[in-house]
Amino acid sequence: MWRAASALSSRCAHRCAAQPIIFANNVGPSISRRGTNAAAAAKHTSSHLRTFSSQSNQADYLCVHVFVSVKPGTEEDFMLASLENARASSLEEGIARFDVIQQEDDPSKFVLVEVYKNADAPAAHKGTNHYAQWRKTVEHMMAEPRKAIKYKNLFPATCDGWDYGADANLE
């Protein structure tokens, strides 16, 4: 769905000023509307403009994927501890997203997808009580040291594409 600046998430709206951005034919709608033909997408694009500030709403976020392998038999405990940490982490001011995913064909493998809004946010996260508790709880469950890889996000390019918003229902 295309949203106007007034519908942005509450954590992002204070940084956003409305400025129209016009997508070239087939760029916006063809990505988000599966099964739409090019003519219909072009018509939709021309009649529905997405408005947000391309500067103040820019999401220059740091995305960190933390790869974790746990010992057999600890998968459930690791998942519960990680979900508790993710719930608390998702409320931090500097975090846009904090996802916990588990590999389908090997339940001992997890990835934590952490999306930070600024360069100071990872250190702030590591200074929280919930992170310290998570680390202490899962330390003995690790089959090997966890590995983190940092990425620069390219898409979504705006903060409203990443942020849950304070009123999001995550469970």
Side-chain angles (χ1 to χ4, degrees), residues 37-165:
N37 66 34
K43 180 179 177 186
H44 181 83
T45 301
S46 64
S47 63
H48 293 85
L49 301 180
R50 187 172 188 185
T51 58
F52 53 81
S53 168
S54 61
Q55 296 301 318
S56 65
N57 193 25
Q58 186 69 31
D60 293 324
Y61 290 170
L62 170 65
C63 304
V64 181
H65 291 194
V66 180
F67 297 88
V68 180
S69 295
V70 298
K71 296 174 185 171
T74 65
E75 297 90 349
E76 182 76 15
D77 290 338
F78 178 84
M79 180 190 66
L80 292 173
S82 296
L83 290 175
E84 184 176 332
N85 179 57
R87 287 182 191 103
S89 298
S90 68
L91 300 175
E92 292 177 42
E93 183 63 30
I95 292 183
R97 293 187 63 91
F98 201 100
D99 302 344
V100 177
I101 57 178
Q102 185 176 28
Q103 189 170 319
E104 286 188 1
D105 62 346
D106 185 350
S108 70
K109 306 272 193 234
F110 294 84
V111 180
L112 308 178
V113 181
E114 306 170 6
V115 181
Y116 296 99
K117 294 179 181 182
N118 58 61
D120 298 329
H125 169 64
K126 289 179 180 176
T128 63
N129 290 335
H130 58 267
Y131 174 78
Q133 180 62 46
W134 173 82
R135 194 167 169 184
K136 180 181 176 185
T137 301
V138 302
E139 188 174 35
H140 73 281
M141 299 178 196
M142 302 287 174
E144 59 190 43
R146 60 189 185 275
K147 178 182 177 186
I149 300 176
K150 296 177 182 179
Y151 300 88
K152 176 183 178 186
N153 79 290
L154 302 176
F155 186 87
T158 62
C159 59
D160 57 316
W162 283 103
D163 291 352
Y164 301 121

